[in-house]
Amino acid sequence: MRFLRLLVIVSILSFKIQAQEGLPVFQDYLTSSWYLLHPAYAGAALTDQIRITGRTQWFDVNDAPTLFTASYNRRLNKKVGVGGIAFADTNGNFSQSGFYGTFAYHLNLSHRDVELNQLSFGFNLQILQRRIDERRLTNPNFIDNAIQGQVINDLSLNSDFGISYFKQNFFTSATLKNILPINRDEILLDGGIEPDNQTRLVFTAGNTFPFVNTPFSIEPSFNYTTILSIGDHQVDFNLKSYYNIHEDLSLWTGASVRANLDGVRFSIDGTNTETQRTRIGTVFLGFNYANFIFAYTYSNQFNEVNFTNGGFHQVTFGYNIPDNNNLRNGRRACNCPGFQ
């Protein structure tokens, strides 16, 4: 019973970290694109961006969580950007998959094209399918009327809206995700337990600082997320560095710490109650060669109660398609690697 209680505690902690209505975002945005978080980034970069990521957790645990994403965004004309994100997320007998279609509108606030000074608006339309496979949960020696031994699916629609501002080396964004309330009583997988309001606020800010007369630059940033209906808060503190070897090759690396500000109360012995706040550390390494991108990310939890000592592994592949239509000419004057 002690092990079962511990397993339930860790499951609650893991769910509090990862449970989201839609695309689960870890530190993917640091190696893939901020577009995963903020729709206003669609078409904001100098190039059209293709990104594919794969993530797995806990190699020593059967049916451990896995996540795959594929995204593409581009600029259609001087002011309009579009994009799309497809993902598949699996965790044991539960899985979800979905697609985001994005429309973005960009306003150039500078009188000169050589300076990046841009206000952007972005809108996502999201379709999400969730699935529970109960076929492996049935036990002939223990009858549970809540488990029918079938595959249960549900489908939902939602949307996101965000604003981003870019000023040379500085960037900031605010996005409301899942802005439409959903009647959870009509969704099979929730049964009315979850609140109808799944809206999350995501706020990001950062700046790139070059080292004068060197090929080095650093980019500190933070990302804050809160689930409005339950007041859950978490923050990422990030530091990314760049080293330009030559025009076609650059290396970048960094680290991130994610902290949950609220925590979960639990008891292992049934008497004493403790509070655990999730702490996740992440390191990553990547490079750009010509228009190709590759990155590896490793994350691990630093908590007293963990399901396993194994970490989370992720790889990212990408390709930047040059802007042959000259829609974004001149922005390379800024020290802003995320827009190259």
Side-chain angles (χ1 to χ4, degrees), residues 106-117:
H106 306 286
L107 293 175
N108 183 12
L109 304 181
S110 173
H111 296 295
R112 300 182 304 165
D113 288 337
V114 296
E115 180 181 81
L116 175 61
N117 185 9

Side-chain angles (χ1 to χ4, degrees), residues 21-278:
E21 183 76 5
L23 172 64
V25 177
F26 296 83
Q27 270 77 14
D28 318 29
Y29 58 86
L30 294 171
T31 57
S32 179
S33 171
W34 289 96
Y35 169 55
L36 293 179
L37 287 178
H38 302 291
Y41 269 77
L46 274 174
T47 57
D48 302 341
Q49 298 180 334
I50 299 173
R51 299 289 187 269
I52 298 173
T53 64
R55 182 181 181 91
T56 186
Q57 300 174 212
W58 310 327
F59 282 154
D60 55 342
V61 176
N62 293 330
D63 297 324
T66 59
L67 171 66
F68 295 95
T69 68
S71 67
Y72 172 69
N73 72 91
R74 63 165 300 183
R75 183 76 70 99
L76 291 181
N77 56 45
K78 285 285 187 178
K79 294 185 176 181
V80 175
V82 294
I85 303 172
F87 74 94
D89 178 31
T90 303
N91 189 347
N93 294 324
F94 173 79
S95 63
Q96 63 174 346
S97 58
F99 177 79
Y100 291 77
T102 307
F103 174 87
Y105 190 79
H106 306 286
L107 293 175
N108 183 12
L109 304 181
S110 173
H111 296 295
R112 300 182 304 165
D113 288 337
V114 296
E115 180 181 81
L116 175 61
N117 185 9
Q118 178 177 290
L119 182 64
S120 300
F121 304 88
F123 176 81
N124 280 335
L125 181 62
Q126 168 201 144
I127 181 170
L128 174 67
Q129 182 183 48
R130 299 186 300 170
R131 180 176 183 267
I132 290 181
D133 188 348
E134 295 183 344
R135 291 173 295 185
R136 291 190 299 171
L137 300 178
T138 57
N139 186 339
N141 300 318
F142 180 79
I143 305 301
D144 188 341
N145 294 328
I147 299 177
Q148 303 298 317
Q150 59 186 347
V151 178
I152 305 174
N153 295 275
D154 68 32
L155 190 70
S156 62
L157 298 173
N158 219 309
S159 59
D160 311 330
F161 177 75
I163 301 175
S164 297
Y165 176 66
F166 314 107
K167 174 66 173 177
Q168 288 297 89
N169 303 347
F170 173 77
F171 56 92
T172 186
S173 300
T175 298
L176 285 174
K177 291 186 171 294
N178 307 316
I179 58 180
L180 300 179
I182 297 177
N183 186 350
R184 316 305 293 187
D185 294 327
E186 298 178 358
I187 296 181
L188 294 175
L189 303 190
D190 296 330
I193 297 176
E194 293 188 22
D196 294 347
N197 181 7
Q198 295 285 318
T199 303
R200 290 182 289 125
L201 170 65
V202 182
F203 178 76
T204 297
N207 196 90
T208 306
F209 298 94
F211 288 86
V212 179
N213 298 324
T214 75
F216 290 98
S217 60
I218 60 172
E219 184 182 272
S221 65
F222 76 92
N223 186 69
Y224 168 78
T225 303
T226 180
I227 303 175
L228 300 181
S229 61
I230 62 176
D232 183 68
H233 310 273
Q234 72 178 23
V235 62
D236 298 349
F237 297 99
N238 313 312
L239 182 63
K240 191 173 183 178
S241 63
Y242 303 89
Y243 177 67
N244 296 320
I245 298 177
H246 56 72
E247 183 178 355
D248 289 331
L249 179 62
S250 62
L251 300 177
W252 37 276
T253 185
S256 175
V257 175
R258 171 167 294 178
N260 186 280
L261 305 181
D262 302 282
V264 174
R265 296 183 65 82
F266 66 95
S267 175
I268 295 179
D269 57 14
T271 302
N272 300 313
T273 301
E274 303 177 52
T275 299
Q276 175 161 291
R277 293 177 175 83
T278 302

Side-chain angles (χ1 to χ4, degrees), residues 298-312:
Y298 176 78
S299 302
N300 209 337
Q301 293 182 237
F302 299 97
N303 300 311
E304 181 180 352
V305 179
N306 283 320
F307 185 74
T308 177
N309 291 325
F312 315 153

